[in-house]
Amino acid sequence: MTTAAEHDWRTAGEAWGHAAAEWACLYEHYAFDVITAVFDRVGVAPGVRLLDVACGAGLAVRYAAGRGATVAGIDASEALVEIACDRSPGTDLRVGSMFALPWAAGSFDAVTSINGVWGGCDAALQEAHRVLRPGGMIGISFWGAGPPDDLRAVFKAIARHSPEANFHGMKRLNGIATPGVAEDMLAASGFEVRESGNRVSTIEWPDADLAWRALSSGGPAYAALQHGDPDAVRADVLAALAPVRDRRGVFRLRGDHRFVIARKPTRSAFTS
């Protein structure tokens, strides 16, 4: 299990915010299908108090506000939170750690985390449990094992250029893709698991330049670009994309986007 002391959230924020505009405009919308599924299930609606953990550039925050929810969010990247604030002025968005949420117990009716909680992040789920009211709902999403899994070749290309520690860290985080792991993490944090499901994530770019700008904006690419030769990383990533380029030259990536929905019991097992 990863604890707050072991997790350098500022380093993670630097990685995920290194190309914030590209991430926000070219990549973040990959999650729209699973955001919709999760929001429907946790009850994002007018008057609902929602916390989005690892909110990134605020796509889910903007969508939730459009549904009438009162939305708060937190992310490790100052650059991404700045964009989220520009997208949703007046929303309670903060830079910080998901392992130490700066809200009081019982502050929210629902918590979501779209590809923000990964393998070993049990302590973040315990914090989510704390800030949820009794009976509140949580929904998390993550990449599954597929099919489809078009991103696997891309991640492998990036990993080949990453420091060894980052490579092993990516493997640990992706442990959540193993069936049952996310459900067990939520149950161990005091939640009642209600539903598991998936959507097929689809994202497209019209040419190689935009595809590279998008894929190089993610956190995993940051270490590879710092550690290796950026031109070599680009060449390997584009080579990995070749099988998903259609007859019009469009790059179309599909992914197995998993989600789990759970509920905080009205009487917590962790209280007397």
Side-chain angles (χ1 to χ4, degrees):
M1 181 175 75
T2 303
T3 67
E6 294 167 338
H7 181 83
D8 188 347
W9 63 271
R10 292 177 179 83
T11 299
E14 180 181 1
W16 282 99
H18 80 277
E22 283 79 2
W23 171 262
C25 296
L26 301 177
Y27 204 166
E28 190 178 31
H29 58 286
Y30 78 89
F32 189 78
D33 292 284
V34 89
I35 290 172
T36 301
V38 168
F39 279 10
D40 287 346
R41 286 158 173 78
V42 302
V44 177
V48 168
R49 300 169 299 164
L50 172 71
L51 173 64
D52 190 41
V53 175
C55 66
L59 176 66
V61 168
R62 180 174 61 83
Y63 184 30
R67 285 188 170 206
T70 300
V71 193
I74 190 167
D75 197 88
S77 167
E78 182 176 358
L80 291 176
V81 170
E82 286 177 355
I83 293 175
C85 289
D86 291 341
R87 284 175 162 175
S88 302
T91 307
D92 181 11
L93 301 175
R94 309 187 192 186
V95 179
S97 170
M98 64 183 176
F99 296 94
L101 298 175
W103 290 278
S107 295
F108 299 99
D109 303 306
V111 172
T112 54
S113 188
I114 306 302
N115 285 39
V117 173
W118 295 93
C121 293
D122 307 60
L125 294 178
Q126 293 164 16
E127 271 292 273
H129 187 279
R130 180 184 64 81
V131 301
L132 263 178
R133 65 165 175 81
M137 302 295 291
I138 184 170
I140 66 171
S141 75
F142 48 90
W143 293 121
D149 191 13
D150 294 339
L151 273 171
R152 182 184 297 273
V154 174
F155 286 142
K156 285 184 174 181
I158 290 171
R160 285 195 294 272
H161 296 271
S162 300
E164 185 175 356
N166 290 80
F167 172 75
H168 291 298
M170 288 171 64
K171 288 189 67 176
R172 175 182 58 80
L173 294 174
N174 199 49
I176 200 170
T178 302
V181 167
E183 290 86 347
D184 289 346
M185 288 171 62
L186 284 159
S189 298
F191 292 102
E192 300 171 344
V193 175
R194 291 297 184 88
E195 180 182 356
S196 302
N198 78 305
R199 293 292 183 271
V200 174
S201 165
T202 303
I203 190 164
E204 302 165 311
W205 303 289
D207 56 53
D209 180 60
L210 283 175
W212 166 245
R213 288 176 64 189
L215 290 166
S216 63
S217 72
Y222 179 72
L225 292 169
Q226 295 294 307
H227 178 73
D229 176 3
D231 290 336
V233 180
R234 184 182 191 275
D236 277 2
V237 167
L238 292 180
L241 286 177
V244 300
R245 193 173 195 179
D246 73 8
R247 63 185 181 280
R248 297 178 181 86
V250 173
F251 294 90
R252 183 174 299 106
L253 282 171
R254 293 186 174 92
D256 176 25
H257 209 175
R258 296 276 164 174
F259 64 86
V260 181
I261 309 299
R263 177 179 178 270
K264 178 177 178 176
T266 53
R267 183 174 176 82
S268 172
F270 294 107
T271 61
S272 55

